[in-house]
């Protein structure tokens, strides 16, 4: 009975990790402000993605992006953003190569990360295969190689996030490496309460050096899914997101490219996340409607750079 | 004096390597026949290159190609030619990544071929840097990896050739590996008398196991160069080549892609070998004029597959 009581108490104590201030307040906003990062994933994946994403930043409302360093076009992305020093540009940690006919391999030497390399010599297509094959040391090595590669092409990464979420849906150790590397490079890593609940809390021992109380957690992550694309269409989906945005910090993820020959070939046999999907994202985030929605709903755009300033004062890792 | 006489005799003997029959005769043609392979390099380099090259094979007169395995689109090329089992498709041994913003790395693990990897983590831009940095063992390892990668995606390579000629313009040992691998895989490697004179003859000891007399040598290799592109234009250049073709076997190399957004981005800052150049190649080799020129000049198209049949009977390596 005493044991059970201790166990329940431990659970209760662990769950009481809520920070005194909301992230919005820590950033200098009020608790009721609706704060938004409009974030384009997959920069560097293709020329089409680069050209459209940069256009959506320059001429649209996209104000943050992150780069897939293992892809053939990451160098071009680096050149394209060289004259935009204020741009939010994170490292989109990439552990998978989901496309059927367009290929990329890890940045790290294949012999050093064999668990990230499929039989075809490229990355696996899905997170489950990564989780099954890649030991944590390999994933950490590849994450570091991707961050270093970004720095090498002139990027000063503003944050880390995870392509297809494979860091979160893999092994808990991947999340630990992700947080440790963010700490090491002094930048925030995209995290939310769901990941804390699903990965960190059930593995308390593994994360014993992580100061969970001070983790920067995004309040909400919004992203179109296949159902939204098929049933509502992108404009209706995003309109709904922006009209019903909760107070706090939301990251709205999108994937911006042109519906052109290159992107259609890359996404061949994909019925979602494909060229038309990415063109729809481009169209929405460069149009007038999104500007009206942001204004009418009094939504304030913020950046990972602003969030990054908190990392100086609030270390992700505890100091012991 | 005796030494000098011996030296001169050795040179004379070495130069007497002419084969009894011409390559045309060995292939069953007459000495006076004008035989031509119309060969598209750089398959696999880009989606644009794949789509245009396959179209120029299916609808034009291109009858041979070779694939750049380290590039992101080689897998797509493999899919595209899967229904063309009779197609000539060689491995275009690729040691350089000449483009400024479109990148690829060796197929072999970077740690095993460090001399093929530049500071940026990709292949060097030019043959001279390869020659300076890559030891012969690394180049042989990468060549083998590229051949194996081609086989892995379902290609049965019909021949070997060399992207930008870096195998020939590097170290003599590269040529030795190239010939040895061709022998090992039972396929011909593109060679001509100029390479024998420039690389093999001055390094007789290195090539002591090569049966130079029985090497398959292409009589002529024709390829547009920047001067031809600038001063004559592609149509005039190829017209001239086809109207003045000598008897024997000529390989006419071209580079076929569409002048589209992807290819313009890949070849950014290139004034030659660029998107417009490749579109001009596509236009010529899919037009009516080339058909008329082939017919009027009684030019017979042959393939590397035909030449490959000779390799069974005439081993490149001597049997000792």
């Amino acid at each position: 009975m005493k044991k059970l009581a201790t166990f329940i108490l431990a659970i209760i104590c662990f769950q009481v990790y809520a920070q005194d201030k909301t992230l919005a307040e820590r950033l200098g906003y009020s608790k009721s402000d609706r704060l938004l990062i409009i974030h384009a994933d997959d920069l560097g994946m293709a020329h089409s993605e680069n050209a459209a994403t940069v256009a959506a930043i320059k001429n649209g409302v996209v104000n943050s992006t992150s780069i897939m360093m293992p892809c053939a076009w990451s160098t071009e992305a680096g050149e394209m953003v060289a004259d935009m020093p204020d741009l939010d540009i994170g490292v989109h940690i990439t552990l998978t190569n989901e496309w059927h006919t367009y290929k990329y391999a890890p940045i790290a030497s294949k012999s050093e990360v064999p668990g990230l390399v499929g039989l075809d010599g490229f990355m696996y297509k899905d997170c489950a295969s990564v989780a099954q094959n890649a030991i944590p040391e390999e994933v950490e090595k590849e994450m570091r190689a991707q961050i270093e590669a970004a720095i090498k092409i002139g990027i000063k990464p503003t944050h880390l996030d995870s392509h297809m979420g494979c860091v979160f849906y893999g092994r808990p150790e991947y999340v630990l490496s992700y947080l440790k590397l963010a700490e090491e490079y002094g930048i925030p890593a995209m995290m939310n309460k769901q990941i804390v609940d699903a990965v960190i809390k059930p593995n308390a021992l593994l994360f014993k050096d992580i100061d969970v109380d001070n983790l920067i957690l995004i309040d909400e992550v919004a992203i179109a899914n296949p159902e939204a694309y098929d049933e509502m269409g992108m404009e209706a989906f995003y309109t709904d997101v922006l009209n019903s945005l909760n107070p706090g910090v939301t990251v709205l993820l999108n994937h911006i490219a042109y519906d052109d020959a290159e992107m259609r070939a890359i996404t061949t046999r994909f019925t979602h996340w494909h060229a038309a999907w990415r063109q729809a994202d481009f169209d929405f985030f460069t149009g007038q409607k999104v500007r009206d929605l942001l204004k009418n709903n009094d939504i304030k755009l913020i950046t990972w750079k602003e969030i990054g300033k908190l990392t100086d004062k609030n270390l992700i890792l505890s100091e012991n």
Side-chain angles (χ1 to χ4, degrees), chain A:
Chain A
M1 189 63 196
K2 193 182 164 195
K3 265 192 183 171
L4 183 64
T6 312
F7 180 65
I8 290 169
L9 186 67
I11 290 175
I12 292 167
C13 289
F14 199 88
Q15 286 188 330
V16 181
Y17 67 91
Q19 294 149 354
D20 293 341
K21 285 184 173 181
T22 64
L23 177 55
E25 289 171 311
R26 292 165 77 190
L27 290 166
Y29 297 91
S30 89
K31 217 171 179 169
S32 60
D33 278 335
R34 282 184 284 275
L35 307 175
L36 186 67
I37 298 176
I38 302 180
H39 190 277
D41 286 358
D42 297 1
L43 188 74
M45 205 252 288
H47 169 68
S48 177
E49 195 94 25
N50 289 345
T53 300
V54 170
I57 291 165
K58 289 188 171 170
N59 311 320
V61 298
V62 172
N63 74 334
S64 187
T65 184
S66 56
I67 187 166
M68 295 173 72
M69 287 310 301
C71 302
W73 289 101
S74 52
T75 297
E76 183 193 58
E79 276 202 7
M80 282 182 172
V81 301
D83 63 345
M84 304 162 79
D86 294 330
L87 178 66
D88 242 24
I89 175 163
V91 178
H92 199 49
I93 297 293
T94 302
L95 305 177
T96 43
N97 176 183
E98 65 272 38
W99 314 114
H100 299 300
T101 57
Y102 175 71
K103 294 293 164 181
Y104 33 92
I107 297 270
S109 192
K110 289 177 195 172
S111 61
E112 290 175 18
V113 293
L116 283 168
V117 182
L119 283 175
D120 61 1
F122 307 105
M123 285 176 164
Y124 289 103
K125 284 186 175 175
D126 56 83
C127 300
S129 299
V130 173
Q132 198 174 346
N133 291 284
I135 60 171
E137 291 72 15
E138 293 173 319
V139 171
E140 181 165 323
K141 193 171 286 181
E142 177 60 19
M143 286 188 195
R144 184 185 298 280
Q146 291 182 15
I147 298 167
E148 287 295 320
I151 293 168
K152 203 178 278 179
I153 61 167
I155 288 169
K156 292 178 184 164
T158 51
H159 60 288
L160 299 184
D161 53 22
S162 168
H163 184 59
M164 294 169 63
C166 293
V167 168
F168 314 127
Y169 307 135
R171 305 189 193 183
E173 291 89 347
Y174 301 172
V175 174
L176 182 61
S177 296
Y178 173 78
L179 294 175
K180 278 170 54 186
L181 284 167
E183 164 70 12
E184 183 181 327
Y185 286 92
I187 53 179
M190 190 171 86
M191 287 285 287
N192 63 12
K193 187 174 176 304
Q194 286 70 36
I195 300 164
V196 172
D197 288 346
V199 182
I200 298 183
K201 285 166 65 176
N203 297 285
L205 194 62
L206 179 67
F207 290 91
K208 64 181 169 23
D209 294 331
I210 299 293
D211 183 3
V212 179
D213 287 357
N214 279 315
L215 269 184
I216 290 166
L217 301 181
I218 295 300
D219 297 304
E220 287 189 33
V221 176
I223 182 170
N225 59 23
E227 292 69 38
Y229 181 80
D230 293 341
E231 289 161 27
M232 303 176 71
M234 287 309 202
E235 183 173 319
F237 172 76
Y238 292 126
T239 299
D240 192 47
V241 167
L242 296 174
N243 278 334
S244 58
L245 208 68
N246 287 322
V249 176
T250 297
V251 175
L252 176 51
L253 297 176
N254 56 39
H255 302 82
I256 290 181
Y258 296 124
D259 184 6
D260 61 9
E262 181 198 14
M263 191 51 56
R264 284 196 292 273
I266 289 177
T267 60
T268 186
R269 303 198 289 277
F270 273 68
T271 54
H272 299 97
W273 315 100
H274 54 350
W277 173 303
R278 289 165 197 255
Q279 178 74 52
D281 273 5
F282 176 84
D283 293 344
F284 183 80
F285 289 101
T286 56
Q288 184 56 42
K289 182 159 191 183
V290 67
R291 295 183 194 277
D292 295 341
L293 286 163
L294 293 172
K295 193 178 169 195
N296 296 341
N297 287 295
D298 194 21
I299 295 167
K300 294 180 171 69
L301 293 188
I302 63 161
T303 62
W304 276 108
K305 250 187 182 154
E306 282 179 70
I307 295 176
K309 289 178 189 157
L310 300 180
T311 56
D312 297 334
K313 289 166 283 182
N314 298 276
L315 294 178
I316 291 168
L317 294 178
S318 63
E319 293 185 38
N320 59 6

